[in-house]
Each structure stands twice: as structure tokens, then as C-alpha cells.
Amino acid sequence: MKLSGTDSLLLGVVYRSPSSNDSNNNMLNELLVKASCTKDAHILITGDFNYKNIDWDLKECLISDNVAESFIEFVNDSYLYQHIHEPTRIREGNTPSVLDLVFTNEEQMIDKVEFIPPLGKSDHIMLSFNFMCYAVENVEKPTRFLYHKGDYSKMSELLSNNMWKEHESDNVDNMWAFFKDSIQATVEECIPTSSGKSAIKKKDWLTYDALRAIKEKSKAWKKYSNCKNEVNYQNYTKQRNIATMKCRSAKQNFERKLCENVKEDPKSFWKYIRSKSKTKSSIGDIEQEDGNLTSDNRKKAELFNTFFCDVFTRENTDTIPQLDEREFSEELKDIIVTPEIVKRELLKLNPSKSPGEDQIHPRILKENADALCEFLSSMFAKSLTNAQLPEDWRTAVVVPLHKKGSKKLVENFRPVSLTSIVCKLLESVVRDAILNHMETNNLFNVTQHGFRSKRSCVTQLLEVIEDWTDIVDSGGSIDNIYLDFRKAFDTVPHQRLLGKMSSYGLRGCLLSWTERFLVDRSQSVKVGTSNSVKSKVVSGIPQGSVLGPILFLIYINDLPELVKSTVKLFADDTKIYSKVAGDDDCKILQDDLDSLSLWSDKWLLRFNASKCKSLHIGRQNPKHDYYMSSEGDTVQIQKTSQEKDLGVTFDDKLRFDVHIANCVKKANQRLGLIRRSFEYMDCQMFLVLYKSLVRPILEYATVIWSPWLKKDIIAIEQVQRRATKLVKDIHHLSYEERLLKLGLPTLIYRRERADMVQMFKILSKFDEVHLKTLNLRSNSNTRGHDLKLVKRHHNYKGSMNCFTTRCSNPWNSLPTECVQSKTVNTFKGNLNTAWKRKPNKFLYNF
């Protein structure tokens, strides 16, 4: 079906009989694959497929069904999205089942699916949904600077000759005004601009040779149209073939360059990806207070701004509680800033990041680090000493980012602040000093794993899963409460935070500067090219700032001291759990929740009781009810059978099939994106794209959830098997031959390697992980290296696959020079040598 311009819609309607034979089933599968290969088109396939045994959430069969399993595999090979997950056929006496399906080639094409009662006597319900065709917005683009084409040699020379010394005696505001004007003047002189007003946009991949070949082809066609003879036609076909070859070569070279620079220049890469997308990723229509939708960007910006400001905490400064002073060797009052420190921070800037309201781009600062570091260090030192910050440093442009749920509701977005890059440089210096003070004096609570050296999401989850596995293996049960703060970063009250900082020894000029950094801030929300009016920020820590996360850690640091149960923190992600065997254990956990509620009321960091969840683990778990108080109301905490925790989905059986299914789904979506976006794919391009965009999804935190069931192992490996078929030169080879050709190990091998690397980090103290179950053998009773592990006996089959147990044998068999490596990279190199001929490296036996 023809749509706007050259776009089209491929619409498929399917009925598959429940008694369909193998021939028809195969034809349907092949039809899906053929449809998915349609280039530059929307794809919508819907109908009654009569596969009642498929769980579409997990993309697996509920019972053994070869026909359904084959269909699932073909759907995955087609990189199609299936949008229906609730029963569509309901008949009395039968189990409700999902028979009617809706497939598209992009996830965002379907919106607002509704399940409507059946028509007439049918036992199939009706499906209603919005199909989202992209719309071209005729918005005039503002003039923008092309920083990647700048003359930085000339800029560096101009800035080096600038009169910096004459202004070093000014106050901070005047120094900043001079600095900002100097940068803007050199930018206008050395950086070219693009007006964005061109009616015909040149394709990014189109080279001069290709463009000339296209023009020659057009001339030949006009000549043939005027005089249709054999000579003119031969000339046209010749020019047409040359143009096709030139365009193909230009596009292939362009796509190869994009892939090679995906890490250094991600913006260009994702710009090209978005240009291939059929649906908009920008903020759509937003629901107003009266229930109507608005498409006006200015109104949307005001709605977001109103919502983000409504959550601020109005602090009563007459009743500020005090935290007991902690033990530390000496106070941290002053921070020394040198040109060397500033230059180091300048060189660490990411040139692909967006500037703040002052429009000073990070690439400008990084490219001119030598010329700017001395003046910036002088300005920063004066700012810290006098507690002065220019207004530009305390102004943020807020960009709404969608979290989850309907994209029409403002509450489903979170604010991210774009602040001054120059201020972020100073924040980095302050953050490093505060971190060093807190770590040196052991002031951080041991349960906090967020934004700290040698700690991460993986280290926290590793402690948790080993603890839980040990309890379950001994026949015990666990009650775990996931706590949710209401807009945690935005509601931190400033004076209470400053009081806590003083208790940890952060005083003097540093405390005064931090106060000035937090108070009298303002923000405006940006949607498209429209901004809301500026509003005062009366509480909170700017999300997107460098200093913000560390300040939040300080504010929440004393929370675990109030409870007897185990608490684990990662910034504001908080969970509290305990082994439960009876009512007494449950009462202790409830008392801890009451203590946390009192802490919340005292320090004005409110829990969102309606979003807190309880996860009951263990076969004999009594599944006790728990309650949370919030602002005078007592709410029963919702029970859940699964919950996403720091990127890993846990369930009440400590099996990770849901998490694995989500990983497979997300990786498949990324593969589909790659296949739709890139017309040419050689081995080198594939390796860069796959290793950068797909494999990290399948390997995130595998030490936590490494699969032990055959079906899960196969499901994960199938993603890589499917991915290697994207390379046309080798797709006819077997999977093992493709891996050898690409030099790509199996994912089974990669997970085993990740286990060894993580164990080395723990034993060599590169990661701080406290595992109660990690025991080393006595040196006098072992052969080989001195770091051999004791392998424990387990009663529960799933416990045999826990990290410390599955690592024991392969770790103990490693050579001495491998486990005694001095650095992580050295260990990886020695491990690669030791496992050079490991059987499962390129051989997949399932």
C-alpha cells in the first residue's frame, strides 16, 4: 500500500488452521521471512495463527511442540515484534489462549492495544490498536555549528594569544563573562555553520564521484528520451551501471566508516540509524489537565516543567535534625586546583556530549586544553575560595526522558539536566576530593555500591544472590522488600544535606561552595526547539550533574544503621531482606520497615509506598504481609513474583528464565535494527556492530544469572547464531565455521571466561565483594597455585550453579602464572593463552 513519498506499507492477513499440515506451516514460516526482507517499508502482519502453546512473554512453548518451536524460530529470524500478550480466545471449559497475533518490523509502530468483546457468537475477542506511521515535521532547523569541521589549530592559536592574564584579578562573574565571550568569538571565527534551510538534503553517504555519476546518468536518460535509438540507450545503460556502482561503493564505505567510529562518534551512528527508522522517537502528544492531547512543543514544555517543579520539597529550616558527628582524621575544608588537574579533566571530556545553556561545547574545551587550563584553574580556585558561582552554572536545561508506561503522561518521564560543561569540570575536582575524604576515612556504609571505586551493580548483586542461594539451599526462606523513593534526587532538602556533610567532616569553603551550588538554581524544560519559562529549583540535586550522585550517597549513608535486617544500596535503589522461618523473623523485618518510615519522615526523603514490592523466596515461605507508612498513611506492600533489580530480573524461584527471555528479546531487537539500517555487511563491520551493540546485552552480569538449563543456553546461543548469518559472505557456512571465520567465541565460552575474570578481581582485591561462601583451601594440602577454592556440597539443584560453586573446578585448574597476574588485563591475556584450545571456544554441542 502506497504511503507518503516513497514509503509504503506491507500488510499481511493470516489464517492458519489448527490442523494445518507441515507443508502449509513451512510455507507460512518462509512467507514471514520473505516479508521481513522488504526494504524501506512498514510491515504489519496480523491474523489468527492458532498457536495456543506459545508463551509470548518468554517466546517459548509451554509444552513440547515442534511446530510451534519452529514458528518461534522463524519469527526471531525475521526480527519481527509480536504485540499481543493477553488471551484472545476464551471458550468455556477451555484454557484461554493467545491465538490472534500482530507483528510489525519496529516496536513503536503499535500503540494503545485494546481488547474488545467478541463480535456476534465468535469466541475470539476483537483487537483494536493504533498503527503509527511516521510523520514528517516541517520544522525550520536553527543555525548550528559544525564542530567536527572546525579549524582547531587556528582556534588554539587565537586563544593562546588572548589576554587571559589581564582578567585573572577580576571576580568570578567577570572572569566567566570574559571567558564566555572569548570562546564565543573564536567559535564564530573558526567553526563553520549549517543553516538547515536547504530544500534538498544531500544524503550523508553521497560522494562527489557518486553525485557526478548520477548527473551523467540523468543526462543520458534525457538524451535517450529525446531520441530513442540503440546508441543512446546503450549509453544510458552504461551510465546507469556506473552510477549504481559508484553509489553502492560510496554507501558501503560510508557505512563501514560509521561502524569503525561507533565508539568515538556515536552521534553520527545513531543519526544514521534514526534516518532508517519508520517511527518517531521524539516526544509525542502529551495529555493536558483537561484530558485533551496537545502537540504544541511549548505547551508540552510547560506541562513537564509544572510537573517536575511540583515534586520539590519545601523544607522547614526551623526544625532541622542533626546527624551525630562521625570519626575522621581531619576535616576537608579547602580544595587545591592546579592547571595540571584542570588539564587532566579537560582531556577526559566526551566531545559527543551536549552543551548546557551557555552553549560552550565540550569539544571546544578539549581541543584547547593547553590554552585554557591556566585561566580555568584560577577561576575555579577563586570560585571555591569565595563560594561564588556565575548564574550560568546554576541554570539547567531539562530534557524529559521516557521511563516506562504511556508516553502521553508527564509522570512517566524523568528529568535530566543539561548543565554548563565548565561547571562540570569544577564539579569533577570537588567530587574527587569528597570521594577521597569519604573513602580514606571509611565513612561510606559498606552496603552502598553505587558510584564507588571497586563496587558496581554486579558486586552488589553477587553478594545478594550468593547469600540468597545459601539460605535457600539450607531449606530456608527469604523475604525481600524493594523500596522505592518518590523522586529521590529531586526531593533532597538542601539544609539537611549540608548538615550531614558537616557531620562527615566536609566543612569550611567546600561546604559554603556546595551550598551556593545547590541553592538559587533555576531550570527550564526543552521539548524540540521550544523552552518553558524558567522556574526556581527549591530542593534536590540536579540529575545529570557530576557532583549530584556523591551528594546523594552522603544523604542516604546513615539509612542502613537503623535496621537489623540486611540492607543493600545502589544510590537510591534500596532493598532490605531477611531469612524468615516464623512470625518473629517477619516482625523484625516489619519493625525495620517502620524504622525506615520514621527516617523518611525525619529527613523528608519520602518512600513511594504504592510502588514498593515484596518478593517471597523459598518453597516453605509463609508469604507474610508487610506494611509501609508514608506521610501518615499505612499501605500494604504489593507482592510480586518477579522484579527487575539493577538490570537483572529476579523471581521467587531464583531462576532467571524471564531475565534470559528479556535479554534475548532485546538483543534480537538490536539485531533487527542493524539489519534494517545497513545494506552492506562484511566481517569487520559485523564484528564492530555485534560486539558494541548486541553482545553486551547478552553478557551483562552473567556471573549472576549464568544459565544452567539447556533451553536457556540454547536460547542465548541462538541469538549469536542468528547474528552471524547477517554476513552474506559466510551465511552459507555452518555455525562453527562462521565462528572460526570471524574469530568469535561461543557465548558459553564467554560466560565461563567472565566467571574467571570476576573471581580474579575478587581474590586480587580489584573488586570489593564480601562473599560468606567463598573459602580458600589450606596451602599445605593442595597442589598447584595457592588460591584454590573449596567446592561446597549443595542440596538444591539450582544452587549447584551459583557463582562460587561453578567457578571452583575451572579456577582451581588454572596455571599459577595466570592466577598470580598483577593486573586484570594481564590475567585476561594469560587466561586466553591457557584456554587457547578449550573445546567449547568455537564448538557448540547443543
Side-chain angles (χ1 to χ4, degrees):
M1 299 169 62
K2 198 69 176 172
L3 298 180
S4 175
T6 60
D7 198 16
S8 61
L9 166 64
L10 176 64
L11 178 63
V13 183
V14 173
Y15 173 74
R16 173 190 167 274
S17 169
S19 58
S20 178
N21 57 36
D22 291 341
S23 176
N24 282 334
N25 293 333
N26 293 334
M27 289 172 65
L28 174 59
N29 294 341
E30 291 170 4
L31 192 61
L32 285 179
V33 174
K34 184 177 180 181
S36 69
C37 293
T38 305
K39 292 288 185 180
D40 301 322
H42 298 275
I43 296 176
L44 172 62
I45 302 173
T46 184
D48 180 3
F49 287 78
N50 274 304
Y51 283 112
K52 64 180 181 180
N53 297 325
I54 297 179
D55 182 343
W56 284 103
D57 288 320
L58 298 180
K59 272 198 174 180
E60 64 178 30
C61 291
L62 302 173
I63 61 174
S64 180
D65 185 341
N66 293 334
V67 175
E69 289 173 357
S70 176
F71 178 72
I72 294 173
E73 192 58 32
F74 272 89
V75 169
N76 289 333
D77 287 343
S78 305
Y79 303 104
L80 295 173
Y81 301 87
Q82 204 290 109
H83 298 268
I84 308 302
H85 298 272
E86 296 181 23
T88 63
R89 178 180 180 270
I90 303 172
R91 176 180 290 183
E92 188 176 352
N94 291 358
T95 304
S97 51
V98 181
L99 301 184
D100 305 283
L101 310 176
V102 176
F103 294 97
T104 62
N105 57 335
E106 287 187 25
E107 188 176 16
Q108 304 300 324
M109 285 185 178
I110 298 297
D111 181 47
K112 200 177 179 180
V113 178
E114 295 181 359
F115 296 80
I116 303 173
L119 182 66
K121 296 182 179 181
S122 174
D123 55 1
H124 287 252
I125 65 170
M126 291 194 293
L127 296 174
S128 171
F129 53 85
N130 293 335
F131 182 74
M132 311 296 290
C133 287
Y134 73 98
V136 178
E137 298 180 359
N138 295 318
V139 179
E140 184 176 342
K141 295 182 179 180
T143 301
R144 60 188 181 90
F145 289 99
L146 304 176
Y147 293 100
H148 62 289
K149 295 183 178 180
D151 186 351
Y152 291 103
S153 297
K154 181 180 178 181
M155 178 177 284
S156 180
E157 183 180 348
L158 290 173
L159 291 174
S160 297
N161 296 331
N162 208 357
M163 297 178 291
W164 300 113
K165 291 288 184 182
E166 297 180 12
H167 294 270
E168 287 185 350
S169 59
D170 293 348
N171 61 37
V172 175
D173 286 330
N174 290 340
M175 291 180 75
W176 169 247
F178 174 71
F179 180 86
K180 185 177 175 181
D181 292 342
S182 299
I183 295 295
Q184 289 176 346
T186 53
V187 165
E188 290 175 1
E189 186 172 348
C190 304
I191 308 295
T193 60
S194 171
S195 65
K197 296 180 180 179
S198 175
I200 301 175
K201 184 178 177 181
K202 176 180 175 290
K203 293 183 181 296
D204 292 331
W205 54 265
L206 198 56
T207 62
Y208 175 75
D209 286 344
L211 186 60
R212 187 172 61 180
I214 292 173
K215 290 179 178 179
E216 291 296 326
K217 183 191 75 170
S218 298
K219 289 180 183 178
W221 173 253
K222 288 180 181 178
K223 189 174 182 180
Y224 171 69
S225 299
N226 293 331
C227 182
K228 294 186 177 181
N229 57 46
E230 187 65 23
V231 175
N232 288 342
Y233 182 74
Q234 292 288 343
N235 183 50
Y236 163 70
T237 56
K238 178 183 176 182
Q239 295 300 330
R240 180 197 62 193
N241 294 342
I242 292 174
T244 301
M245 181 186 68
K246 294 283 187 181
C247 289
R248 187 175 295 164
S249 177
K251 196 165 190 178
Q252 189 170 4
N253 291 334
F254 175 78
E255 290 185 348
R256 183 182 291 109
K257 188 175 180 181
L258 277 181
C259 296
E260 291 172 353
N261 299 330
V262 63
K263 291 185 177 180
E264 292 76 18
D265 187 14
K267 280 193 172 182
S268 295
F269 176 84
W270 289 109
K271 177 186 174 183
Y272 185 70
I273 293 287
R274 286 193 296 271
S275 71
K276 298 288 185 175
S277 175
K278 295 297 179 184
T279 51
K280 292 188 296 182
S281 58
S282 59
I283 296 174
D285 294 350
I286 295 296
E287 187 175 302
Q288 303 178 86
E289 293 181 358
D290 58 6
N292 295 323
L293 298 178
T294 179
S295 58
D296 183 78
N297 282 344
R298 181 62 185 270
K299 290 183 180 179
K300 287 189 278 188
E302 294 295 346
L303 288 170
F304 279 115
N305 192 42
T306 301
F307 174 74
F308 292 152
C309 291
D310 283 346
V311 303
F312 291 146
T313 299
R314 271 66 182 177
E315 183 181 18
N316 183 359
T317 56
D318 296 331
T319 58
I320 296 179
Q322 296 297 318
L323 185 69
D324 295 337
E325 185 169 305
R326 308 302 161 135
E327 294 184 5
F328 44 84
S329 57
E330 60 179 328
E331 299 176 349
L332 178 62
K333 294 182 177 180
D334 302 304
I335 298 175
I336 298 175
V337 186
T338 65
E340 292 74 24
I341 292 174
V342 174
K343 182 178 178 180
R344 181 192 66 200
E345 296 298 332
L346 284 167
L347 294 176
K348 289 195 295 187
L349 287 175
N350 186 343
S352 67
K353 295 294 183 181
S354 299
E357 192 178 56
D358 56 28
Q359 294 302 309
I360 297 180
H361 199 276
R363 183 158 190 171
I364 300 295
L365 299 171
K366 185 173 183 176
E367 294 282 354
N368 299 283
D370 290 323
L372 301 175
C373 61
E374 190 169 343
F375 183 81
L376 284 175
S377 67
S378 176
M379 182 168 58
F380 290 165
K382 194 168 291 187
S383 174
L384 288 167
T385 303
N386 301 330
Q388 293 179 340
L389 285 88
E391 184 180 350
D392 287 341
W393 294 8
R394 292 176 286 114
T395 303
V397 176
V398 176
V399 178
L401 291 184
H402 181 251
K403 296 185 294 185
K404 57 183 178 180
S406 173
K407 291 185 177 181
K408 294 180 174 60
L409 303 177
V410 292
E411 56 262 34
N412 292 332
F413 290 77
R414 64 181 176 90
V416 173
S417 301
L418 299 178
T419 56
S420 171
I421 301 295
V422 176
C423 185
K424 285 184 176 181
L425 291 170
L426 180 52
E427 289 179 61
S428 299
V429 177
V430 175
R431 176 203 58 194
D432 292 344
I434 293 176
L435 264 178
N436 183 61
H437 172 80
M438 297 291 289
E439 296 286 5
T440 302
N441 293 283
N442 295 317
L443 294 173
F444 277 127
N445 197 292
V446 294
T447 64
Q448 179 61 262
H449 287 253
F451 304 102
R452 296 181 60 190
S453 176
K454 298 183 179 182
R455 291 164 178 257
S456 64
C457 297
V458 172
T459 59
Q460 194 226 73
L461 294 178
L462 200 51
E463 291 182 359
V464 170
I465 191 62
E466 289 288 319
D467 196 10
W468 289 359
T469 302
D470 195 43
I471 294 172
V472 171
D473 192 63
S474 63
S477 299
I478 307 147
D479 280 355
N480 176 49
I481 312 295
Y482 289 102
L483 301 175
D484 184 85
F485 286 103
R486 182 184 294 126
K487 304 294 180 184
F489 275 70
D490 296 322
T491 57
V492 172
H494 294 155
Q495 296 305 317
R496 282 169 167 77
L497 169 60
L498 294 169
K500 286 193 174 186
M501 290 180 67
S502 179
S503 299
Y504 289 110
L506 303 169
R507 298 167 183 170
C509 293
L510 170 61
L511 190 64
S512 299
W513 185 90
T514 305
E515 181 176 12
R516 187 61 179 158
F517 172 76
L518 291 173
V519 301
D520 294 330
R521 297 188 69 92
S522 62
Q523 69 177 36
S524 65
V525 177
K526 183 176 183 179
V527 177
T529 57
S530 301
N531 285 64
S532 69
V533 297
K534 286 187 179 180
S535 300
K536 290 292 182 182
V537 178
V538 298
S539 72
I541 302 164
Q543 294 194 54
S545 66
V546 174
L547 189 57
I550 303 307
L551 296 181
F552 187 84
L553 296 192
I554 293 172
Y555 196 75
I556 202 174
N557 195 50
D558 62 304
L559 181 146
E561 300 170 6
L562 306 174
V563 299
K564 298 177 182 178
S565 305
T566 304
V567 178
K568 295 294 181 183
L569 299 173
F570 191 92
D572 62 324
D573 285 303
T574 307
K575 53 181 166 285
I576 174 174
Y577 65 86
S578 176
K579 180 179 178 180
V580 292
D583 292 340
D584 291 341
D585 296 323
C586 298
K587 186 178 185 304
I588 292 173
L589 189 54
Q590 181 60 59
D591 290 342
D592 289 338
L593 291 172
D594 294 339
S595 299
L596 292 178
S597 296
L598 293 175
W599 181 93
S600 171
D601 293 336
K602 178 180 179 180
W603 295 104
L604 303 183
L605 195 63
R606 308 294 186 184
F607 288 109
N608 193 342
S610 62
K611 290 187 177 181
C612 296
K613 302 286 181 64
S614 62
L615 182 67
H616 302 284
I617 303 168
R619 297 179 181 177
Q620 305 300 322
N621 195 301
K623 297 187 177 180
H624 191 76
D625 293 332
Y626 295 97
Y627 298 86
M628 173 69 73
S629 298
S630 179
E631 298 181 273
D633 296 330
T634 301
V635 179
Q636 182 177 338
I637 295 177
Q638 299 179 39
K639 297 179 181 179
T640 183
S641 59
Q642 62 186 46
E643 184 69 14
K644 193 171 186 178
D645 184 4
L646 300 182
V648 178
T649 303
F650 289 79
D651 63 19
D652 52 6
K653 297 181 179 63
L654 292 187
R655 293 172 57 180
F656 295 97
D657 48 350
V658 175
H659 175 76
I660 291 169
N662 290 335
C663 287
V664 170
K665 177 183 176 182
K666 189 175 180 181
N668 242 15
Q669 290 173 354
R670 191 63 62 83
L671 279 177
L673 194 67
I674 292 171
R675 192 183 77 157
R676 291 192 303 272
S677 303
F678 291 88
E679 296 185 19
Y680 308 98
M681 186 73 66
D682 57 26
C683 292
Q684 193 59 40
M685 287 176 61
F686 168 78
L687 286 173
V688 173
L689 291 172
Y690 176 72
K691 290 180 180 180
S692 301
L693 304 177
V694 181
R695 195 166 69 179
I697 298 171
L698 301 171
E699 293 187 341
Y700 169 72
T702 54
V703 295
I704 311 299
W705 56 267
S706 185
W708 54 280
L709 294 176
K710 183 177 178 180
K711 70 178 184 66
D712 293 333
I713 295 172
I714 293 174
I716 296 172
E717 199 70 35
Q718 284 288 70
V719 178
Q720 183 162 284
R721 180 198 293 270
R722 189 175 301 113
T724 54
K725 290 182 178 179
L726 293 178
V727 185
K728 294 181 180 179
D729 293 342
I730 62 173
H731 79 281
H732 60 283
L733 302 177
S734 67
Y735 179 46
E736 289 75 14
E737 290 173 327
R738 296 199 297 272
L739 293 181
L740 283 168
K741 188 77 173 177
L742 294 165
L744 198 66
T746 64
L747 294 176
I748 299 172
Y749 170 87
R750 292 277 302 178
R751 288 193 294 271
E752 293 178 0
R753 180 177 179 272
D755 286 346
M756 296 298 99
V757 173
Q758 184 61 61
M759 184 59 73
F760 174 77
K761 288 181 179 179
I762 295 170
L763 296 179
S764 300
K765 308 301 181 184
F766 287 103
D767 275 354
E768 289 186 9
V769 184
H770 305 287
L771 300 181
K772 303 173 186 176
T773 57
L774 186 60
N775 298 313
L776 296 175
R777 290 180 181 174
S778 171
N779 293 345
S780 59
N781 298 327
T782 62
R783 293 180 181 179
H785 60 77
D786 297 336
L787 295 175
K788 288 197 172 183
L789 303 172
V790 175
K791 188 171 183 178
R792 297 183 299 142
H793 172 74
H794 290 284
N795 301 312
Y796 168 56
K797 190 174 180 181
S799 303
M800 299 177 187
N801 191 58
C802 70
F803 173 72
T804 52
T805 301
R806 72 171 183 267
C807 281
S808 297
N809 287 343
W811 175 263
N812 292 343
S813 65
L814 291 178
T816 303
E817 62 271 14
C818 192
V819 300
Q820 292 181 351
S821 301
K822 299 299 182 183
T823 66
V824 175
N825 285 335
T826 303
F827 174 79
K828 290 179 180 179
N830 291 334
L831 181 64
N832 290 341
T833 302
W835 281 7
K836 188 175 182 179
R837 292 180 174 82
K838 193 171 175 62
N840 66 356
K841 187 170 185 178
F842 297 108
L843 184 62
Y844 179 61
N845 295 319
F846 288 94

